[in-house]
Amino acid sequence: MTKMFYEKDANFNFIQERKVAVIGYGSQGHAHALNLKESGVDVVVGLYEGSKSWEKAVADGLEVMAVDEAVKCSNAFMILVPDEKQSKLYQESVKPYLKAGDALIFAHGFNIHFNQIVPPADVDVFMVAPKGPGHLVRRLYVEGTGVPALIAVHQDYTGKAKDIALAYAKGIGAAKAGVIETTFKEETETDLFGEQSVLCGGVTELIKAGFDTLVEAGYQKEVAYFECLHEMKLIVDLLYEGGMERMRYSVSDTAEYGDYMVGKRIINEETRKEMKKVLKEIQEGKFAQAWILENMTGRPVFNARRNEEVQHPIVQVGKELRQMMTWLKK
Ligand code: NDP
Ligand code: MG
Ligand code: MG
């Protein structure tokens, strides 16, 4: 099994002797900044003038500055602005102030792996990527545990990049849960493949296809919604807690038999072939190129598809049904 790193493997001095600028205060940023600070790290938050996150960070008791000011007074920078904004931010507000031996840190490998950011040779470049949304990274830290994380070293100028990465992972609570070493290539390509083929693209199309099939056959759309979307959570919770075997143990034998008989007819050889094509496009940088171009041209395809998706009948029926689910957070 892959080696896991835990708190005992991390020497906290490597991050405590640094001043860390957390750039961005969104999902990941707020969790990293608060967790590091409460772990005893000297932290400053970097934001732009007029950012709605600014007041929030101040209210949370953090020191906040413009990005370039934060970079100037720090020697480790965690870049937590949206991936498509990182390249411009790096060029304008980080690169001009980099000093030899600084640490440039990411929570996702996209910009380094696809050469949208090319740092000078005399800085460390590494990743600490929690495997969970920022709000969970924060909540579990407060509860005294943590979300697992991946670390990867792209460039090791000081010879200490991995030590600093492990210390950082400890500071956000991730070393309590376990840290796995990966590469920028592996993290980036698997992350994109997973969200496209399985987690986001795969799941939403599967749900819609099931919903449409039932509704077109004359079944009530409310019933179709419950069966194809709402119940997904119950199944995913079982998968998360105990894998496929736990899910299959918990559902009825009828459901388990149907699973074995039908699953491969839905996700068939054609689907697997297509997944291989999708992966190849990611590996060759075709997906990255398209997404970068989208952002350079004002996101024409992205916006058109977003508008189209909200027209699907499952959106409206879901809105109405969730009104009645008083236990859901609004
Ligand atoms: P969010 O969109 O939640 O937050 C972005 C933050 O950056 C906001 O505080 C925003 O401020 C600020 N910001 C935007 N533009 C600028 C700018 N030009 N200068 C300074 N600050 C700016 O991002 P995420 O936390 O989701 O993502 C950050 C990174 O973490 C990405 O690399 C992502 O891939 C990675 N990641 C995200 C995970 C997640 O669960 N969300 C999981 C693992 C990794 P304002 O809102 O005021 O505009
Ligand atoms: Mg992703
Ligand atoms: Mg059922």
Side-chain angles (χ1 to χ4, degrees):
M1 202 180 149
T2 308
K3 181 169 165 46
M4 299 278 288
F5 298 92
Y6 296 99
E7 288 199 304
K8 63 173 174 31
D9 304 307
N11 179 346
F12 203 51
N13 290 337
F14 282 108
I15 197 71
Q16 255 184 330
E17 67 195 20
R18 298 263 171 167
K19 173 136 182 157
V20 180
V22 173
I23 312 298
Y25 200 72
S27 174
Q28 290 293 324
H30 91 284
H32 288 234
L34 290 170
N35 293 5
L36 286 172
K37 187 182 174 209
E38 286 166 27
S39 295
V41 179
D42 189 7
V43 174
V44 56
V45 172
L47 285 167
Y48 61 95
E49 291 292 338
S51 157
K52 59 180 164 16
S53 304
W54 193 302
E55 274 169 45
K56 196 169 170 291
V58 170
D60 289 344
L62 290 152
E63 188 185 4
V64 187
M65 298 176 194
V67 176
D68 48 0
E69 296 302 323
V71 171
K72 276 185 222 167
C73 74
S74 306
N75 51 13
F77 327 107
M78 175 50 122
I79 310 296
L80 295 174
V81 309
D83 295 297
E84 64 278 8
K85 292 186 175 163
Q86 290 183 5
S87 171
K88 185 164 181 276
L89 173 121
Y90 171 79
Q91 287 300 333
E92 291 173 357
S93 309
V94 179
K95 191 180 169 197
Y97 313 109
L98 285 177
K99 305 169 295 297
D102 282 351
L104 189 55
I105 322 172
F106 295 88
H108 178 39
F110 190 97
N111 284 288
I112 290 291
H113 181 61
F114 291 117
N115 298 309
Q116 298 305 294
I117 293 176
V118 183
D122 62 354
V123 299
D124 289 342
V125 181
F126 58 87
M127 170 174 17
V128 181
K131 287 288 96 182
H135 295 90
L136 193 64
V137 174
R138 178 60 186 153
R139 177 155 67 79
L140 293 193
Y141 178 89
V142 171
E143 289 172 8
T145 61
V147 168
L150 301 177
I151 58 164
V153 175
H154 173 70
Q155 197 167 285
D156 190 6
Y157 174 74
T158 63
K160 300 287 176 209
K162 185 171 162 183
D163 295 309
I164 308 168
L166 281 171
Y168 187 103
K170 184 171 180 169
I172 59 169
K176 282 208 169 85
V179 175
I180 297 178
E181 191 169 8
T182 180
T183 60
F184 273 65
K185 173 179 161 61
E186 181 176 68
E187 187 275 340
T188 306
E189 292 176 355
T190 57
D191 182 82
L192 292 172
F193 178 80
E195 66 202 16
Q196 292 172 20
S197 300
V198 182
L199 306 173
C200 305
V203 164
T204 53
E205 283 306 318
L206 185 66
I207 289 173
K208 281 188 293 172
F211 176 89
D212 291 344
T213 303
L214 289 174
V215 172
E216 281 162 25
Y219 297 98
Q220 296 180 73
K221 53 189 190 315
E222 291 78 9
V223 175
Y225 179 90
F226 274 113
E227 204 53 55
C228 299
L229 189 147
H230 183 84
E231 282 194 32
M232 182 68 88
K233 173 169 167 40
L234 313 175
I235 297 298
V236 169
D237 282 349
L238 292 166
L239 291 170
Y240 179 85
E241 286 159 16
M244 295 193 184
E245 60 278 25
R246 165 81 151 265
M247 185 276 281
R248 284 168 171 158
Y249 169 80
S250 186
V251 300
S252 68
D253 285 358
T254 312
E256 187 178 349
Y257 176 70
D259 165 348
Y260 299 143
M261 291 303 107
V262 171
K264 281 187 196 301
R265 291 172 58 189
I266 304 301
I267 307 297
N268 54 26
E269 278 309 314
E270 277 305 300
T271 317
R272 285 175 181 252
K273 243 192 253 163
E274 200 61 31
M275 281 191 179
K276 290 200 175 78
K277 271 170 67 183
V278 167
L279 181 58
K280 194 152 177 281
E281 287 166 18
I282 291 169
Q283 291 167 332
E284 288 172 346
K286 288 197 180 128
F287 172 80
Q289 185 186 35
W291 178 225
I292 291 160
L293 270 174
E294 267 292 292
N295 282 291
M296 285 168 61
T297 52
R299 299 187 166 190
V301 178
F302 179 89
N303 289 329
R305 286 288 297 120
R306 190 183 252 181
N307 291 337
E308 194 185 335
E309 280 295 311
V310 295
Q311 305 302 321
H312 193 280
I314 202 168
V315 173
Q316 192 52 40
V317 69
K319 261 186 202 146
E320 286 160 19
L321 287 173
R322 289 192 304 272
Q323 285 293 318
M324 306 175 337
M325 300 178 194
T326 49
W327 64 90
L328 295 181
K329 271 193 239 142
K330 289 291 177 280

